[in-house]
């Protein structure tokens, strides 16, 4: 803090012979001259004083007749004297700070969250028609009007929110649930077995159940028919819908080597650097000639901060390489088994069984590889849709 004060008021560095130092210190003490720093050499001494005290030092040198030499001057007053006649520089500096502090009044970035089926380009086009675009004047954006008009025009959006933070417009949307796919492409559909199993139950929403509990079916067998015969209205064709549960059996096998490669990283190397200004990229540096064979690539984006602003439309993009070497490290049998069980848990969860009745697990170690085997007896919905078309005889 003291240094900043000296920089603001300005200071100078003086040099005096060592023999005159004691007299100079006594004079400064009597005259109230503040010395910021003293550095002694072999034959001379350098002192740092405020610009306001220079006249007192020169008066001391003149009365004592000593050799007091000025070395350099620093600080804001010196810069002002040096550049005060350069009008163009001051105008440019003023325009720069004015542009920086007025940047949050305009939209320079649009973030859209909640996208699933819709594209970002489609949403941005809807927003642009309502005035939310890159370069738009933020205070002129009527968020209520944007909300109403976008929902009125876009039937596939059920909710929208626009929040302005600095020069960024954060847009959140909720997509409307897609209507069920049209079923006019086929006359009807059956539910057939996606795999073999023993039937244990069914929940039929539409159609005629063609199996009963205890039946053993193979892949492709008819489970629920979409053809309904009625003595009053005749034959009807519809889309069968429901679930059919069956007992199924699955076998899993996981292999885990008893050695693993441990990576050791050695620093980082910059591959590419660019500056994003108002969404436009300016290349600063690019060098992909890296000698290391193995390396990971990391992409970084750093928004350039400025006092008083949340975010500037300036960002530094950097791509760096992290070279590494791989060292083999042995795994204990317990560690390998733990990894195998973790992977097995994930694979069983992906099957989405209705219930697991039993499981048997075993493992062996052969040629440095742990092999974990697991047999699962579970209940699964085996119903799959099979569409059909009816050919009418003429």
């Amino acid at each position: 803090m003291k240094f900043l004060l000296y920089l603001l008021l300005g200071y100078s560095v003086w040099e005096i012979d060592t023999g005159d130092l004691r007299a100079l210190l006594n004079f400064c003490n009597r005259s109230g001259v503040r010395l910021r720093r003293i550095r002694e050499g072999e034959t001379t001494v350098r002192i740092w004083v405020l610009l306001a005290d220079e006249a007192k030092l020169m008066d001391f040198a003149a009365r004592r007749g000593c050799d007091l030499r000025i070395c350099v001057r620093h600080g804001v007053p010196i810069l002002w004297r040096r550049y005060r006649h350069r009008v163009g520089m001051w105008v440019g500096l003023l325009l720069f700070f004015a542009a920086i502090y007025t940047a949050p009044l305009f939209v320079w970035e649009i973030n859209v969250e909640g996208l699933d089926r819709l594209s970002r380009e489609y949403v941005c086009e809807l927003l642009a028609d309502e005035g939310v675009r890159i370069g738009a004047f933020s205070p002129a954006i009527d968020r209520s009007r944007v909300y109403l008009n976008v929902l009125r025009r876009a039937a596939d959006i059920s909710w929208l929110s626009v929040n302005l933070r600095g020069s960024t417009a954060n847009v959140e949307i909720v997509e409307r649930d897609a209507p069920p796919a049209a079923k006019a492409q086929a006359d009807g559909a059956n539910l057939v077995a996606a795999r073999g199993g023993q039937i244990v139950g069914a929940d039929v929403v539409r159609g005629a159940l063609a199996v009963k509990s205890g039946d053993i079916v193979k892949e492709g067998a008819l489970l629920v028919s979409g053809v309904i015969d009625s003595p009053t209205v005749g034959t009807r064709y519809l889309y069968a819908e429901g679930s059919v549960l069956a007992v199924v059996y699955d076998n899993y096998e996981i292999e885990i080597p008893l050695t693993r490669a441990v990576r050791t990283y050695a620093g980082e190397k910059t591959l590419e650097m660019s500056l994003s200004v108002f969404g436009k990229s300016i290349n600063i540096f690019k060098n992909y000639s890296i000698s290391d064979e193995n390396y990971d690539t990391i992409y970084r984006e750093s928004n350039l901060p400025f006092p008083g602003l949340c975010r500037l439309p300036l960002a530094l993009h950097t791509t760096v390489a992290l070279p590494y070497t791989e060292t083999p490290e042995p795994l204990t049998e317990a560690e390998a088994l733990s990894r195998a069980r973790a992977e097995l848990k994930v694979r069983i969860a992906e099957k989405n069984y209705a219930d697991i009745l039993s499981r048997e697990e075993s493992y062996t170690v052969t040629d440095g590889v742990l092999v974990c085997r697991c047999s699962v007896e579970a209940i699964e919905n085996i119903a799959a849709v099979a569409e059909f078309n009816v050919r009418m005889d003429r």
Side-chain angles (χ1 to χ4, degrees):
M1 190 66 184
K2 189 175 181 181
F3 171 74
L4 294 178
L5 179 61
Y6 270 82
L7 197 62
L8 182 63
L9 298 178
Y11 66 92
S12 57
V13 182
W14 296 74
E15 190 175 67
I16 191 172
D17 294 335
T18 304
D20 298 321
L21 177 60
R22 182 182 297 273
L24 176 62
L25 293 177
N26 291 333
F27 170 78
C28 292
N29 188 40
R30 293 193 308 267
S31 304
V33 176
R34 292 170 294 240
L35 300 180
R36 175 176 173 267
R37 187 178 180 185
I38 300 177
R39 178 183 293 175
E40 296 187 30
E42 294 183 359
T43 59
T44 60
V45 178
R46 286 194 171 189
I47 60 173
W48 280 252
V49 299
L50 290 173
L51 294 179
D53 296 326
E54 283 187 349
K56 296 179 181 179
L57 289 184
M58 290 190 301
D59 180 64
F60 164 78
R63 286 191 287 106
R64 184 174 175 84
C66 62
D67 187 12
L68 184 62
R69 303 170 297 277
I70 186 167
C71 300
V72 67
R73 290 187 175 94
H74 292 291
V76 174
I78 301 301
L79 293 176
W80 172 250
R81 294 175 195 170
R82 184 179 303 172
Y83 298 110
R84 66 181 184 274
H85 298 299
R86 300 187 181 183
V87 179
M89 185 191 72
W90 293 109
V91 172
L93 193 62
L94 180 63
L95 291 176
F96 171 77
F97 282 100
I100 291 297
Y101 278 101
T102 56
L105 297 177
F106 297 87
V107 176
W108 301 120
E109 183 178 6
I110 300 177
N111 295 327
V112 183
E113 298 181 0
L115 295 176
D116 183 17
R117 301 183 310 276
L118 303 181
S119 67
R120 171 183 168 82
E121 290 73 18
Y122 169 70
V123 175
C124 288
E125 183 178 349
L126 291 174
L127 294 171
D129 292 340
E130 304 303 328
V132 183
R133 61 172 67 87
I134 300 297
F137 187 53
S138 298
I141 296 177
D142 186 347
R143 290 183 289 177
S144 299
R145 182 180 59 83
V146 173
Y147 172 80
L148 294 175
N149 290 348
V150 169
L151 293 187
R152 186 181 298 114
R153 294 174 52 199
D156 40 16
I157 298 178
S158 62
W159 182 82
L160 175 136
S161 171
V162 178
N163 296 308
L164 300 174
R165 188 171 185 266
S167 58
T168 303
N170 295 309
V171 181
E172 297 181 39
I173 70 168
V174 175
E175 299 180 4
R176 195 178 303 277
D177 292 338
K183 297 180 180 179
Q185 301 300 322
D187 296 324
N190 297 321
L191 294 183
V192 299
R195 58 179 302 184
Q198 184 176 13
I199 305 300
V200 294
D203 181 14
V204 179
V205 177
R206 187 182 298 109
L209 184 63
V211 293
K212 61 181 182 300
S213 293
D215 288 351
I216 298 177
V217 297
K218 296 182 179 180
E219 180 181 351
L222 178 65
L223 302 178
V224 180
S225 175
V227 180
I228 307 297
D229 289 323
S230 171
T232 56
V233 297
T235 303
R236 293 184 296 124
Y237 305 102
L238 48 79
Y239 267 73
E241 185 178 350
S243 61
V244 179
L245 303 179
V247 177
V248 297
Y249 300 89
D250 286 317
N251 295 314
Y252 298 90
E253 184 174 290
I254 309 294
E255 295 185 358
I256 302 294
L258 293 180
T259 58
R260 64 178 177 181
V262 179
R263 292 184 178 182
T264 303
Y265 292 92
E268 64 179 42
K269 299 180 181 179
T270 302
L271 301 179
E272 185 176 355
M273 185 180 297
S274 62
L275 183 66
S276 176
V277 183
F278 302 123
K280 303 296 182 180
S281 180
I282 302 174
N283 291 327
I284 300 177
F285 172 81
K286 183 180 291 187
N287 179 22
Y288 280 88
S289 59
I290 181 170
S291 59
D292 302 89
E293 294 183 0
N294 300 322
Y295 62 89
D296 290 335
T297 303
I298 297 180
Y299 177 79
R300 296 171 180 162
E301 179 179 352
S302 303
N303 289 98
L304 304 181
F306 198 84
L309 299 180
C310 299
R311 185 185 180 100
L312 285 177
L314 304 175
L316 185 65
H317 301 277
T318 308
T319 304
V320 299
L322 302 178
Y324 64 84
T325 56
E326 291 187 338
T327 306
E329 181 179 284
L331 275 180
T332 66
E333 192 172 297
E335 290 174 333
L337 183 58
S338 176
R339 289 190 172 198
R341 285 173 173 166
E343 185 175 340
L344 180 63
K345 183 178 179 180
V346 173
R347 290 179 58 179
I348 291 178
E350 291 174 350
K351 292 290 290 185
N352 197 23
Y353 294 122
D355 190 16
I356 296 179
L357 302 178
S358 66
R359 57 184 288 175
E360 294 182 2
E361 184 182 305
S362 63
Y363 73 92
T364 58
V365 178
T366 307
D367 297 330
V369 178
L370 182 142
V371 181
C372 180
R373 298 177 178 86
C374 181
S375 299
V376 175
E377 180 185 9
I379 296 177
E380 181 181 352
N381 178 20
I382 63 172
V385 177
E387 295 181 338
F388 62 80
N389 288 301
V390 179
R391 182 175 179 180
M392 306 298 294
D393 294 332
R394 296 183 179 179

